[in-house]
Amino acid sequence: MYQLWLYYGEFAALGIWGILLAALRRILFGRLCRDAAIEGNGGSPMRRAMALKYEKSAELDMEIRDIPAFVRRYLCQERRLWVRLPRWRTLPERWTGLILGAGFLEAVTLHYLGGAALFCLDRFLAAAAAAVLVRMACLWFESGSLWEQAEIGLVDYVANTLAPRKNHIRETFEAEEEPPEPKAAEERKRFRPSKEEEQLFQEVLTELLSSST
């Protein structure tokens, strides 16, 4: 047993680690999906952060026309366990390729150094078996549907909550900057003296001055 672990333990450890990555991705994307669907009491911290970023665009007078692209760009900046979410989408599958590559490279190296052909083949088959187990775990702990549900929930939140709120803020701001109403301008014009009144006033003032002299 010890001999088997000594020869094939590294690939067993890589396979177990890949299975854990697939299960962990499922858990993280499940939480992401729940956070995207939480409503009431301000929503989840992720929703509040997205709302803050979206409202900043209203202050800068930036128009967001492609809401799905905005959501995807926001998700690409999110991290879980110090790893960005887009990397989590493909991390277990990449780990499968890493195991296969390591097994093939080791088998070729051992064969080049004069190792027995059967032993080199066993090393590669051990790597292939570990990669197959990780791939099966990826299929078992499927998480692509959870990612799609999270995107749909966030797009719906932005389109039906944040966008109407932004439009209301913009309309209020534009209403405050509207010029005075025409009625007020007409009132000021009515109380402004006409040219005939100014001329009559000048004639009366001239007569008064001439009579005083």
Side-chain angles (χ1 to χ4, degrees):
M1 186 67 179
Y2 175 76
Q3 195 73 12
L4 289 175
W5 178 258
L6 182 63
Y7 285 162
Y8 308 113
E10 60 178 293
F11 294 113
L14 290 174
I16 293 172
W17 182 247
I19 293 172
L20 291 176
L21 286 177
L24 185 59
R25 180 179 64 178
R26 173 77 181 190
I27 295 172
L28 293 176
F29 282 14
R31 292 181 179 177
L32 176 69
C33 186
R34 288 194 298 271
D35 290 343
I38 289 177
E39 296 182 359
N41 298 326
S44 63
M46 184 184 66
R47 274 196 171 195
R48 290 196 293 269
M50 175 176 282
L52 181 62
K53 186 172 183 179
Y54 191 89
E55 290 170 359
K56 285 292 183 182
S57 66
E59 296 178 3
L60 299 175
D61 197 22
M62 296 172 58
E63 185 69 23
I64 298 178
R65 299 171 183 258
D66 194 348
I67 293 178
F70 169 78
V71 171
R72 285 193 294 269
R73 187 163 54 249
Y74 176 81
L75 289 176
C76 288
Q77 298 174 357
E78 284 288 296
R79 293 177 182 268
R80 294 294 185 273
L81 298 179
W82 304 283
V83 179
R84 293 187 184 274
L85 287 176
R87 291 187 179 181
W88 273 113
R89 295 185 66 184
T90 57
L91 188 57
E93 287 78 10
R94 289 184 177 182
W95 193 258
T96 302
L98 177 64
I99 295 174
L100 278 175
F104 178 77
L105 182 62
E106 185 175 343
V108 171
T109 303
L110 290 174
H111 181 71
Y112 177 78
L113 294 176
L118 184 60
F119 177 72
C120 296
L121 181 61
D122 286 344
R123 297 292 288 178
F124 177 73
L125 291 178
V132 168
L133 290 176
V134 174
R135 182 58 181 168
M136 291 176 63
C138 293
L139 295 175
W140 181 265
F141 299 111
E142 186 271 333
S143 56
S145 60
L146 295 177
W147 178 269
E148 294 176 358
Q149 291 177 26
E151 278 192 345
I152 292 173
L154 292 175
V155 168
D156 180 73
Y157 173 64
V158 173
N160 298 324
T161 302
L162 298 183
R165 186 189 306 170
K166 175 184 174 182
N167 293 333
H168 176 70
I169 294 174
R170 177 178 296 176
E171 290 173 359
T172 304
F173 182 74
E174 291 176 353
E176 292 178 352
E177 290 190 345
E178 286 183 355
E181 296 181 356
K183 185 177 180 181
E186 291 179 359
E187 291 290 336
R188 289 196 300 269
K189 185 177 180 181
R190 188 192 313 171
F191 288 103
R192 185 179 302 169
S194 62
K195 292 183 179 181
E196 296 179 354
E197 293 175 346
E198 290 179 357
Q199 185 177 1
L200 180 60
F201 178 76
Q202 290 292 338
E203 293 177 356
V204 172
L205 182 60
T206 305
E207 291 179 0
L208 289 175
L209 290 176
S210 61
S211 63
S212 61
T213 56

